[in-house]
Amino acid sequence: MTERCCSPRLRRLRGKRPAGVVYVEVLVAIIPVFIFFFGLLQLALLYTARLVVRHAAQRAVRSAVVVLEDAPSKFDDTAQGEVTYHDPSATSGGSAQQFLQGIGDVLGVQLPLGDVQRLLNSEAGPRLAAIQRAAYMPLSTLAPSPAALLDTFGISKDSLGSGNSNLMQFAVGLFLYNRAAAMVTLRKPDGSVANCVGPTEDVTVRVTYLYFCTMPIVSSIMCDSLMNLSGLDQLDDAAKNAYESVSGGGLQGVQQAKDGLQADLQRVSDRVGGLSRELQYAASPELLLPFLFSRAHFKLVSAEATLPNQGALYYPRVACGTPPGDQSQDQTQANSVEAQP
């Protein structure tokens, strides 16, 4: 005996699914799948960024143990073991220009002589500038796409010189971003920033990098805006409006805000610390201003590496903290070593 559960009309309706239901179900189901997929990709990229930043720290500390004890005559007569983070009279721009031109020679292109060249002058002392360049090379693989950087900085393709345009955009874009997003500092055992390292002390270099998150949707979940990371959201509306007005002016605009940005970062770092404190040691932190009011999201990645300094006691060496002209202790120590059979 057949059981009758419903009317013939109802059975016909149950056999037909309303138009569009399948599409709605696919849309509802595919969104979590895509978010999960993009989340896995972003996690993989962040893990890769940590490995690259760790490698950059190792390169920087290997450079530091050589550079810190090298002859002062090779570094504008800077004393051995000393590093300078901000010195308006520093002349490391020439070395930076040679570095960038060396990249151009390797790539077979002629790299820029226009607006970019004005940013090559660094306030870092010559010894620190050499350590910074050692960290820049591996970090170049983590920078945003060159086309996006050139658009952000307002650099035209025609102003970059001659040669392979794609390679020129690659080199210029990455070089600019590293100077803003890579912070290289020497550290004391207590974690504070060191301005000098003794001849027999351990050299610790910390590399802090502002990684640009690229995955859609999940970047706003897993990463943060530059405004929040830097602490500049603590500023008043007038200061924010001033930075917003210059951020749209490309390289010309951000250079005008350099001095004010350093002062604001110093003031903010006393309250919130974090990235605002680290950005004070970037070569050109003002280059991040175009990203300040954008929808870009970032993740702060840092790593440290330590090696023993390569100093020796058989040559005169001014100790850290020794007043200028007071080298008797170090000279006596060197003479006692030389007098031994």
Side-chain angles (χ1 to χ4, degrees):
M1 183 176 181
T2 304
E3 182 180 356
R4 187 174 182 180
C5 64
C6 52
S7 65
R9 182 182 177 185
L10 185 57
R11 287 199 300 269
R12 288 195 301 270
L13 290 177
R14 292 180 60 184
K16 297 181 179 179
R17 307 189 71 180
V21 171
V22 175
Y23 297 103
V24 173
E25 291 177 349
V26 170
L27 289 176
V28 171
I30 202 67
I31 293 176
V33 173
F34 269 118
I35 293 177
F36 178 73
F37 177 71
F38 288 145
L40 288 180
L41 287 179
Q42 190 65 77
L43 280 175
L45 291 174
L46 288 174
Y47 182 75
T48 302
R50 293 182 185 277
L51 292 178
V52 174
V53 172
R54 187 182 306 169
H55 177 60
Q58 293 171 350
R59 279 179 55 95
V61 76
R62 288 200 300 267
S63 173
V65 297
V66 176
V67 167
L68 290 176
E69 295 301 317
D70 210 345
S73 59
K74 297 181 180 180
F75 298 95
D76 298 337
D77 294 327
T78 303
Q80 291 165 314
E82 291 188 3
V83 293
T84 304
Y85 295 96
H86 292 291
D87 181 8
S89 62
T91 58
S92 58
S95 300
Q97 181 177 352
Q98 295 173 3
F99 170 71
L100 186 59
Q101 190 58 51
I103 296 177
D105 294 340
V106 172
L107 298 177
V109 297
Q110 182 178 351
L111 282 172
L113 300 176
D115 292 337
V116 177
Q117 200 171 36
R118 289 196 290 270
L119 293 168
L120 293 176
N121 294 323
S122 173
E123 293 185 356
R127 294 187 188 273
L128 179 61
I131 299 171
Q132 287 175 337
R133 292 195 292 271
Y136 285 167
M137 291 304 293
L139 293 176
S140 64
T141 60
L142 300 178
S145 65
L149 287 176
L150 292 179
D151 290 341
T152 301
F153 294 132
I155 303 175
S156 63
K157 174 182 174 181
D158 297 334
S159 66
L160 295 182
S162 61
N164 189 309
S165 60
N166 292 330
L167 292 177
M168 283 189 292
Q169 292 181 49
F170 181 81
V172 175
L174 298 188
F175 184 76
L176 290 177
Y177 186 76
N178 280 345
R179 291 173 64 81
M183 293 137 273
V184 182
T185 54
L186 274 68
R187 298 285 170 161
K188 298 178 182 178
D190 61 0
S192 59
V193 176
N195 295 292
C196 182
V197 179
T200 58
E201 297 176 356
D202 288 340
V203 180
T204 299
V205 176
R206 177 184 297 177
V207 175
T208 305
Y209 188 75
L210 197 61
Y211 176 71
F212 187 84
C213 298
T214 57
M215 286 294 106
I217 304 176
V218 297
S219 61
S220 60
I221 301 174
M222 304 176 64
C223 306
D224 208 344
S225 67
L226 181 59
M227 180 71 77
N228 293 334
L229 282 174
S230 62
L232 294 178
D233 57 340
Q234 304 290 326
L235 299 177
D236 54 41
D237 293 337
K240 293 180 182 178
N241 293 334
Y243 284 130
E244 188 173 8
S245 63
V246 301
S247 63
L251 294 180
Q252 299 285 349
V254 298
Q255 291 181 73
Q256 300 173 3
K258 181 177 181 180
D259 295 335
L261 180 62
Q262 288 284 359
D264 286 335
L265 287 174
Q266 177 66 43
R267 185 168 65 254
V268 171
S269 66
D270 295 337
R271 290 182 295 182
V272 299
L275 178 62
S276 59
R277 182 176 291 117
E278 296 292 333
L279 276 177
Q280 299 177 59
Y281 302 103
S284 302
E286 67 275 7
L287 292 177
L288 288 175
L289 284 178
F291 297 98
L292 195 61
F293 298 93
S294 68
R295 296 182 179 180
H297 290 82
F298 302 86
K299 192 74 172 180
L300 202 60
V301 184
S302 63
E304 288 186 0
T306 302
L307 285 176
N309 200 3
Q310 301 298 304
L313 299 178
Y314 53 78
Y315 58 79
R317 163 77 145 78
V318 178
C320 294
T322 303
D326 186 11
Q327 305 181 13
S328 57
Q329 180 179 0
D330 299 277
Q331 186 67 52
T332 302
Q333 187 179 26
N335 292 338
S336 64
V337 174
E338 292 177 354
Q340 295 179 1

